[in-house]
Amino acid sequence: MQTEVHTNTTTNTDTFPIKGTDYLEFYVGNAKQAAIYYQATFGFKWTAYRGPETGHKETVSYVLEQGKVRFVLTSALHPEHEVARHVAEHGDGVRVLALWVDDARKSFESAVERGAKPALEPHSLSDKDGAVRMSAIHTYGETIHMLVERTDYKGVFLPGYEPRNNDFPIQPVGLKYVDHCVGNVDLGDMNRWVKFYQDVLGFKLLITFDDKDIATEYTALMSKVVSNGNGYIKFPINEPAKGLKKSQIEEYLDFYRGAGVQHIALATDDILFTVDTLRNHGVDFLYVPDNYYEDVLERVGTIDEDIEDLKRLNILVDRDDDGYLLQIFTKPVQDRPTVFYEIIQRKGAKSFGKGNFKALFEAIEREQEVRGTL
Ligand code: FE2
């Protein structure tokens, strides 16, 4: 058995309606400096802030936006704070995958009734701009899903945050929305978390990749992709598989000290512009050797882009029954080899670039080798 595409698992009623990704919150060691990184490299705009200056004494949070992508970078001001403990244990990483829902109480209650572990009871936050209702449930590792209900809230982000900007000269790179967020879980846990998304959040199983699909000479992993009713939310879940050497998933789990978000795929309508600009801004990408481009057109057929441009920028391409996609992966964006980004442009394709897995994992192995963790 290799890849399986599941088509008959959709239920007609979406038992857990989600309108989209609301935000991703990272717990980091130095939010002030991380905010500058995302402005200078990815071209995010700083839009909101919460901290001592706004009456919040425990943590500082910077809100950054581009297209529909919204990141929150949070650091602790005291070593005893939970955010400081999280950073000490995991390094900089994703704590919150926030989902935009119609009813934060109902969604929370139905999830908990079906087995979700509560992280935050439903409550309302309000300020002069209105109210937002929020609740949260746990998912893999220490990651949580915040459920955010925004009825007529007119403020910049959430109650307690104030609008902010600066004169930093940003150049947006054309990021539109979060395409998918990938989680790495421990060996043997993938099916448990797939079942969690199916049973608790009413997601459907989209695709299964086994260790024959995702293996190089040395290392292997398995992956299943779950998606919500309207398809806006896609969560691939990876677990390591047995190989001759240490899988990249094991390396992640070692350094992150457990399960967590591995990569965030950000969508663009013009990947040539996006990657060219990111490279000019100093973003490091995984390197795939030139021979990848020798037979790529035989594999994927005719594409709109000039193959020389793809080669120059080291962008990968893959095709499925619905069209093709272009993608590239950054190196980890913090000191530990944990979280990284994918930039993706979909031209019809609904899949995840299976044809690139081998080239990609060999690229990661070369990085592991340099780190001494293969
Ligand atoms: Fe991906």
Side-chain angles (χ1 to χ4, degrees), residues 50 123-127 130-134 153 158-161:
R50 186 179 73 175
H123 66 285
S124 276
L125 294 173
S126 57
D127 64 11
V132 176
R133 193 145 60 158
M134 299 172 79
Y153 185 67
L158 290 174
Y161 283 78

Side-chain angles (χ1 to χ4, degrees), residues 273-344:
F273 167 75
T274 301
V275 174
D276 207 5
T277 313
L278 289 171
R279 285 191 182 282
N280 286 335
H281 292 173
V283 173
D284 278 335
F285 292 94
L286 285 177
Y287 172 69
V288 173
D290 284 355
N291 65 12
Y292 170 88
Y293 295 92
E294 282 166 14
D295 58 356
V296 72
L297 291 181
E298 284 166 39
R299 181 163 62 80
V300 301
T302 311
I303 54 171
D304 303 334
E305 294 72 19
D306 185 339
I307 195 74
E308 287 306 316
D309 285 334
L310 299 185
K311 189 173 166 180
R312 175 173 58 85
L313 295 167
N314 216 221
I315 293 167
L316 310 179
V317 52
D318 195 29
R319 185 177 284 280
D320 64 21
D321 292 344
D322 300 300
Y324 72 98
L325 62 80
L326 301 148
Q327 63 186 171
I328 190 168
F329 297 81
T330 71
K331 291 184 183 178
V333 292
Q334 59 292 304
D335 301 318
R336 298 190 201 185
T338 53
V339 183
F340 59 89
Y341 290 94
E342 172 180 353
I343 307 296
I344 184 167

Side-chain angles (χ1 to χ4, degrees), residues 179-180 182 236 262-265 327 329 340 342 344 352:
D179 186 276
H180 59 274
V182 181
Q262 178 212 37
H263 77 263
I264 299 149
Q327 63 186 171
F329 297 81
F340 59 89
E342 172 180 353
I344 184 167
F352 296 85

